[in-house]
Amino acid sequence: MKIGIIREGKIPPDKRTPFIPAQLRELSEKYGDQLTFLVQSSPIRSYTDQEYLDAGIEVVTDISRADILFGVKEVPVDQLIPDKTYFFFSHTIKKQAKNRALLKNILQKNIRLLDYEVLKNQSGERVVAFGRWAGIVGAYNAFWTYGKKTGLYDLRRAAECHDLQDLKSELSKVSLPPVKIVVTGSGRVGKGVAEVLGILKIKQVDTQEFLHFYFEEPVYVVLSSSDYNRRKSDGGYDREEFYSFPERYESHFSKFAEAGEILIASAYWNPGAPRLFELKEISSPDFSLSVIADVTCDVDGSIPTTFRASTIQDPVYDVDRDSGEELPAFGKQTSISVMAIDNLPCELPRESSAEFGRQLSEWVIPALLEEYSPILERATIARDGDLTLEYMYLTDFVNQTDIPNSHE
């Protein structure tokens, strides 16, 4: 079985890799009689071609000899090789309009698509993810944005830091007033956010303290879905019902938007669930959020001010409170500054790649050698020119000819 590591083709380019050189060397030594590894030459990957060659891994220009192809981000349609098996983040399972053509071409080209986002164990927990790194870099960028907006301090960009230790050292420059910070989510991404808040020694408080107490130091609250969603009929909350029938619920996040100044959004969002707030609410004088770091980066999703993904090169845009229109970053003090980079771990690409590769080595490589792997079956979105049973709900989405942009 030949396994190929593809060159990232999405623009802007992503420097991450599914496996670092040392991991491929270890896998070759362990599974040498069953697996062969090829790496497609790349000028932008954070690990150079020479590092792979030094690890004894073949580097090629044409990757078509490989049976199974591993990437990170969406593969451009014109780079898809028919009749192959691909692993990458396709960003299609929520019917993301921008990737409809990608999924359609995958079906037309008879490709088996396995999506990292749905590689889960028997308990339904994801087994490979960049979440921790998205949380770390997303939280760092929230404070970078706050520093730029207020002029209180100046940080280097995360991408300019050599590694995680360098980034942690840079955080020593942060000097905060008694600001209140709202964090949504406590999964992998939320834990990454918490790492940064811990480095900054910011105190965590509960929801009642956050809403009703005054503090002389910065504080943060971590919200779960029960804290800002309530049943429309009676104001109650049932976790199982919320996840099964989110349309029965409405948001009551507004009280946190009134108390907090910074929002770091790191909670998974079901498209059927209510948004945290509506765009019209930001014009209220009570709406106090001035910096929103949308780590989840669901465009037109849980955070209505996330009009589009921002980029590492251009990380922030502002949203005017009165008109609801996008403005250049930091041009108007009263506007809301939005950080919504969709490839945050790429700012620390070598370390985030190493952790991701460890997860793949533990969960996916052994599964590829099994005659039948439940983990891989559950993660298979398309095969033999059709959607698999679990993803048949995407049929109408794939067949749509025109999908309007709801923001426009």
Side-chain angles (χ1 to χ4, degrees):
M1 188 185 298
K2 289 186 173 63
I3 293 177
I5 311 306
I6 62 174
R7 177 193 305 124
E8 293 299 310
K10 190 177 179 183
I11 303 297
D14 196 301
K15 296 181 179 181
R16 289 173 292 173
T17 178
F19 295 95
I20 69 171
Q23 291 163 348
L24 292 187
R25 182 180 61 235
E26 291 169 9
L27 292 170
S28 295
E29 292 170 354
K30 185 174 183 179
Y31 300 108
D33 56 337
Q34 297 165 290
L35 300 176
T36 304
F37 295 93
L38 310 171
V39 173
Q40 189 173 24
S41 177
S42 169
I44 54 94
R45 190 183 286 125
S46 59
Y47 288 86
T48 65
D49 291 352
Q50 190 59 49
E51 286 179 281
Y52 284 98
L53 289 169
D54 291 345
I57 307 302
E58 185 179 0
V59 176
V60 299
T61 302
D62 180 1
I63 201 73
S64 60
R65 280 192 290 130
D67 308 300
I68 299 173
L69 300 167
F70 282 83
V72 178
K73 299 290 280 186
E74 302 97 311
V75 177
V77 167
D78 62 352
Q79 295 176 25
L80 290 168
I81 305 173
D83 306 314
K84 299 291 185 182
T85 293
Y86 275 89
F87 285 82
F88 59 87
F89 288 108
S90 71
H91 298 115
T92 56
I93 61 173
K94 294 182 186 177
K95 302 184 179 181
Q96 289 97 320
K98 65 177 182 177
N99 290 325
R100 187 186 69 85
L102 171 62
L103 187 52
K104 192 178 184 75
N105 273 269
I106 284 168
L107 296 172
Q108 291 171 346
K109 294 182 177 181
N110 197 39
I111 287 168
R112 181 184 181 187
L113 170 64
L114 296 97
D115 193 309
Y116 297 131
E117 194 170 349
V118 283
L119 278 167
K120 297 178 180 180
N121 61 20
Q122 286 184 321
S123 303
E125 300 164 329
R126 290 181 62 183
V127 294
V128 296
F130 282 100
R132 175 192 171 217
W133 296 94
I136 289 171
V137 178
Y140 181 93
N141 284 349
F143 293 107
W144 178 89
T145 303
Y146 189 78
K148 285 290 183 188
K149 189 174 187 71
T150 61
L152 291 173
Y153 53 86
D154 188 39
L155 301 179
R156 282 183 293 149
R157 291 295 312 283
E160 295 169 356
C161 296
H162 177 67
D163 54 18
L164 180 58
Q165 191 56 49
D166 190 23
L167 181 143
K168 289 178 177 179
S169 298
E170 191 71 6
L171 286 168
S172 64
K173 299 176 182 176
V174 173
S175 175
L176 296 172
V179 62
K180 288 185 173 181
I181 302 160
V182 182
V183 179
T184 61
S186 56
R188 289 177 191 257
V189 181
K191 287 182 172 62
V193 172
E195 281 188 56
V196 171
L197 294 166
I199 292 164
L200 291 172
K201 295 182 170 55
I202 298 176
K203 179 181 178 180
Q204 182 176 0
V205 297
D206 64 33
T207 55
Q208 293 306 306
E209 291 172 324
F210 186 88
L211 293 172
H212 303 298
F213 291 6
Y214 171 78
F215 295 91
E216 295 184 345
E217 61 182 320
V219 297
Y220 76 97
V221 66
V222 178
L223 303 181
S224 64
S225 57
S226 60
D227 292 317
Y228 55 89
N229 289 290
R230 62 188 175 197
R231 196 161 37 235
K232 294 175 183 176
S233 59
D234 61 3
Y237 180 89
D238 179 86
R239 187 176 188 276
E240 202 168 300
E241 180 191 48
F242 175 72
Y243 285 101
S244 300
F245 304 100
E247 68 278 3
R248 297 179 183 174
Y249 286 76
E250 64 184 2
S251 173
H252 62 116
F253 178 81
S254 57
K255 57 193 176 186
F256 296 103
E258 292 172 8
E261 190 175 342
I262 299 173
L263 167 63
I264 305 175
S266 57
Y268 176 84
W269 182 67
N270 180 330
R275 293 177 166 200
L276 266 68
F277 56 90
E278 294 302 325
L279 194 59
K280 62 184 179 183
E281 294 177 47
I282 70 173
S283 62
S284 167
D286 296 326
F287 193 95
S288 297
L289 295 174
S290 66
V291 168
I292 297 178
D294 187 358
V295 183
T296 62
C297 192
D298 285 318
V299 175
D300 289 324
S302 62
I303 311 294
T305 48
T306 302
F307 299 153
R308 60 176 177 85
S310 58
T311 64
I312 293 171
Q313 293 75 21
D314 190 14
V316 177
Y317 53 87
D318 280 11
V319 177
D320 186 85
R321 292 179 186 271
D322 296 321
S323 68
E325 296 298 316
E326 181 178 332
L327 300 171
F330 315 124
K332 189 177 179 180
Q333 190 59 37
T334 57
S335 61
I336 298 171
S337 295
V338 177
M339 189 291 302
I341 297 172
D342 69 351
N343 59 340
L344 287 161
C346 196
E347 296 205 55
L348 290 175
R350 287 176 68 94
E351 287 167 298
S352 62
S353 293
E355 186 168 312
F356 193 72
R358 282 195 293 272
Q359 296 165 356
L360 288 174
S361 299
E362 178 182 354
W363 291 96
V364 174
I365 295 299
L368 285 172
L369 300 174
E370 296 173 9
E371 190 170 335
Y372 175 83
S373 167
I375 284 180
L376 299 188
E377 286 301 311
R378 287 192 294 267
T380 300
I381 293 176
R383 180 170 41 206
D384 300 326
D386 205 352
L387 295 164
T388 56
L389 189 60
E390 191 171 347
Y391 300 96
M392 280 293 179
Y393 71 88
L394 295 170
T395 301
D396 291 343
F397 164 68
V398 171
N399 293 332
Q400 278 180 272
T401 54
D402 181 49
I403 302 177
N405 186 316
S406 60
H407 175 52
E408 294 175 348

